[in-house]
Amino acid sequence: MTTDPTDPCRLSARELAAAVRARTVSAREVLDAHFARIDAVNPAVNAVVTQVREQAYAAAARADELTAATPAAELPPLHGVPMTHKDTHATAGIRTTSGSPVFAEHVPGHDDLIVARFTAAGVISTGKNNVPEFAAGSHSFNEVFGTTHNPWALDRSAGGSSGGAAAAIASRIQPLGDGSDMGGSLRNPAAFCGIAGFRPSAGVVPSAPAGNAWEWLGRSGPLARSVDDLALAMSVLAGPDPRIPLDCPAPRTGFRALAAEDPPDPGARPLAGVRIGLSADFGLGVPVEPEIVEVLVAQARVFEELGAVVEEAVPDLRDADEVFDVTRAFDMAVNLREVVAEHRELVKPEIVWNVEKGLALTAEQLMDAALARTRLHEAVRAFFGRWDVLLTPTSQVLPFPSAERWPRTVAGMPMQTYVEWMRSASLISATGCPAVSVPGGFSPGGLPVGLQLVAAHGRDVELLRTARAYDHATRHADAAPRL
């Protein structure tokens, strides 16, 4: 990584957009640096899988014309910021494969909502980043583009399903990315790559268009190197969409106010009065590698130094596995049953297994899961009546060898399926609560470790405010991998 402080690739999204608005750098110059960085590091990490350079430079030229003709204060908040998009998010006129041979040459005619909102905020689309096939699993490999490697250790996984975005951000290819998360697909890659990833409350960033408009388990959200940039991203992404009949419990104005706040002063104890429940095993004996637990316990003291009260406490999550497993299987079957039926030989076996699990669900299982979700909701509601935030490990494992499809053991305990090793994230998904993974530092061997912060449904802004105070106090993501 260059040490030149004027290198656009070193700037945050906030700093980069401000520099373009101030005319200290042009959108084209930023794009030059972006593509030069892709050329320099992408052969090693394989994060960016499709590029549209001609289209991007045309957009940069329009951005520079707008800069010249418009007062800086009237330019959009992400004016001139380049971004590759997750390859499961539809991008009009740009190949979108979902990492599957079935859609290897698919070019959509529309943008998904998260892409459209970033574009409206001034982002310049430059291509797509890698994913596991159909975003299934938390390791970004597929038969179309191969495996994405972790910038901190090129023989390790970058996580998934937003692994290409996380690797690109950690590699300083781009400061900001779009992602999605059903069982940890924003949080796990953020943890593996030493950046931040935010899973909002349901309805805050609608996943539109959608085949099943009532789907609640999967979420869309941003990744970035700082919580400041997560707040900035949410200030343009949040808000309802008439195609999705879910209420938006955290309006865009709250994120805009957070993004405009002065940086917290760690010496002023910005978390005074915040009550944090701490759990390493989620109250269920969830296995977590010892190095991760050591970081979690050490970093809990930082929250205390910032003024928070931190004590061992966790909601009753006994129903969460059933809620997640049944809902995921149902959603996978709804979304992919026709693909599996028509192209079974082209689809990876983990997806076939998950779809068949959904197709085999009985009415009794669906009714039991509905009752379990109600019990879980009541348990979580009771917990957040006493506590403001839950602090846990983001991932149960350190980044594992990229040659493996998924970890077969965690802390000595065998894993039976390709999703079981992600329970630290999927248990929280089942609650429906907003969650953010923030960089917690590194293991003794130099691999990133993420901390997961969770708040009650609709408390997204307050959750990011807590995460932001910790992020400013530690600045773990300022460290850059040596590529």
Side-chain angles (χ1 to χ4, degrees):
M1 183 70 197
T2 178
T3 58
D4 180 3
T6 64
D7 179 2
C9 295
R10 291 183 60 88
L11 302 179
S12 68
R14 179 189 303 269
E15 293 167 336
L16 192 55
V20 175
R21 286 196 299 270
R23 305 182 189 182
T24 59
V25 65
S26 69
R28 181 182 176 89
E29 289 169 333
V30 171
L31 205 55
D32 287 341
H34 172 77
F35 283 126
R37 188 66 181 163
I38 291 175
D39 291 341
V41 304
N42 197 60
V45 296
N46 192 35
V48 179
V49 294
T50 295
Q51 298 180 52
V52 287
R53 298 199 179 199
E54 183 176 348
Q55 176 178 321
Y57 275 111
R62 293 193 296 272
D64 286 334
E65 291 172 0
L66 185 63
T67 303
T70 309
E74 297 178 14
L75 292 168
L78 293 172
H79 184 60
V81 175
M83 181 191 297
T84 63
H85 299 287
K86 186 172 183 177
D87 201 26
T88 50
H89 288 155
T91 42
I94 303 175
R95 182 172 59 158
T96 302
T97 75
S98 295
S100 176
V102 178
F103 295 104
E105 302 302 327
H106 174 60
V107 179
H110 72 279
D111 286 334
D112 278 351
L113 178 139
I114 192 169
V115 174
R117 287 185 174 174
F118 267 134
T119 301
V123 160
I124 295 175
S125 298
T126 61
K128 307 304 286 283
N129 52 64
N130 207 23
V131 296
E133 187 174 13
F134 294 116
S138 200
H139 180 24
S140 296
F141 70 94
N142 58 65
E143 296 297 323
V144 183
F145 300 116
T147 302
T148 295
H149 302 285
N150 194 310
W152 290 97
L154 293 173
D155 63 339
R156 300 297 178 112
S157 170
S161 61
S162 307
I169 294 166
S171 300
R172 275 48 181 181
I173 287 172
Q174 60 195 64
L176 196 61
D178 51 22
S180 57
D181 185 312
M182 178 178 281
S185 289
L186 280 158
R187 292 161 287 161
N188 274 330
F192 274 22
C193 293
I195 64 167
F198 180 50
R199 171 188 166 90
S201 294
V204 175
V205 183
S207 297
N212 174 13
W214 297 98
E215 185 176 330
W216 65 270
L217 188 60
R219 308 284 166 84
S220 296
L223 303 104
R225 290 195 295 271
S226 70
V227 178
D228 281 332
D229 275 356
L230 290 183
L232 176 61
M234 290 302 298
S235 75
V236 303
L237 294 179
D241 185 277
R243 294 169 291 181
I244 303 299
L246 299 176
D247 291 334
C248 178
R252 185 177 297 180
T253 52
F255 296 107
R256 284 179 175 168
L258 177 61
E261 288 179 8
D262 291 333
D265 176 6
R269 294 170 61 85
L271 296 185
V274 175
R275 300 160 299 170
I276 298 179
L278 171 69
S279 180
D281 71 351
F282 300 82
L284 301 173
V286 172
V288 179
E289 291 183 344
E291 299 97 322
I292 295 174
V293 176
E294 290 174 8
V295 170
L296 174 71
V297 172
Q299 295 302 301
R301 300 189 194 103
V302 177
F303 288 93
E304 290 179 323
E305 293 166 359
L306 294 172
V309 174
V310 182
E311 296 179 6
E312 290 274 351
V314 65
D316 183 351
L317 297 173
R318 285 177 293 178
D319 288 304
D321 283 317
E322 179 181 5
V323 172
F324 178 80
D325 290 344
V326 171
T327 307
R328 177 186 173 88
F330 178 84
D331 289 348
M332 292 281 281
V334 168
N335 294 327
L336 294 173
R337 68 190 189 281
E338 293 181 1
V339 171
V340 169
E342 296 175 13
H343 305 283
R344 185 187 185 95
E345 72 286 354
L346 295 177
V347 176
K348 71 179 182 180
E350 292 88 348
I351 291 174
V352 174
W353 168 79
N354 226 155
V355 168
E356 289 183 342
K357 185 177 179 181
L359 293 173
L361 289 171
T362 65
E364 184 175 11
Q365 286 175 300
L366 292 171
M367 289 185 285
D368 286 345
L371 296 176
R373 187 181 174 197
T374 300
R375 293 192 299 269
L376 179 61
H377 170 73
E378 287 303 314
V380 170
R381 190 170 67 88
F383 176 83
F384 285 119
R386 294 188 55 209
W387 303 93
D388 299 302
V389 173
L390 173 65
L391 172 61
T392 74
T394 301
S395 180
Q396 297 164 238
V397 299
L398 294 169
F400 56 87
S402 56
E404 299 178 6
R405 295 179 75 87
W406 43 275
R408 304 299 166 146
T409 62
V410 176
M413 185 176 293
M415 298 290 105
Q416 304 301 319
T417 71
Y418 83 110
V419 292
E420 187 179 357
W421 69 273
M422 300 184 290
R423 286 177 72 206
S424 56
S426 66
L427 289 167
I428 300 305
S429 295
T431 70
C433 294
V436 60
S437 180
V438 293
F442 298 86
S443 71
L447 293 174
V449 175
L451 306 182
Q452 180 173 226
L453 299 169
V454 188
H457 176 70
R459 303 290 289 178
D460 300 54
V461 174
E462 294 80 1
L463 175 62
L464 287 184
R465 183 173 285 112
T466 298
R468 183 174 181 247
Y470 171 81
D471 194 30
H472 274 269
T474 57
R475 310 302 300 185
H476 290 306
D478 286 353
R482 296 182 179 275
L483 286 167

